[in-house]
Amino acid sequence: MRGRALHKVLELLPDVPAAERAEAADRLIARHAPNVDAEERGRWRDEALAVLAAPEFAAAFAPGSRAEVAIAGTIMTAAGPVVVNGQIDRLVVDAAGVFIIDYKTNRPPPARAEDAGAHYLAQMAAYRALLRTLYPGRTVRTALLWTFEPRLMALPDALLNHAFARAGL
């Protein structure tokens, strides 16, 4: 429930003026978690607002970035064609390339990308492979955005390549 509420706040609040975000976050979280006490909902709000206020995430939430982008397609793997169907939490496509961000609400988050869950890495490897086919010639970067202690964890290509192979893709 916490993860869904935080995702919804991070999806909708970037378009809300900063001065109105706390109140809007309170309403959204109350709607998605009505049985959670107000003090806990306030912690969730503060967690999401810290992400939105962090200057290092500004590009991810800038105008032109997109939230909850549905993707589907087929990628070619060593084992043959594989259908990828998913939802990208935040997508930035600009002159610098393509940036895929997936929100994670785990508490506490891992310190290193190598310690992120294998399923997270395989998911991001598959998304990267599909976006490379959709945006040929562009650099496709991936990262996990941990909300608990606002931190953007870049996922190196070598790590994703390994996860891709380990998943049998």
Side-chain angles (χ1 to χ4, degrees), residues 125-158:
Y127 288 179
R128 179 191 63 168
L130 182 56
L131 273 282
R132 282 179 170 170
T133 66
L134 297 174
Y135 295 95
R138 291 207 189 188
T139 301
V140 178
R141 299 177 302 128
T142 61
L144 300 176
L145 194 160
W146 301 99
T147 63
F148 182 65
E149 47 187 53
R151 181 166 38 97
L152 195 62
M153 178 183 282
L155 301 175
D157 281 339

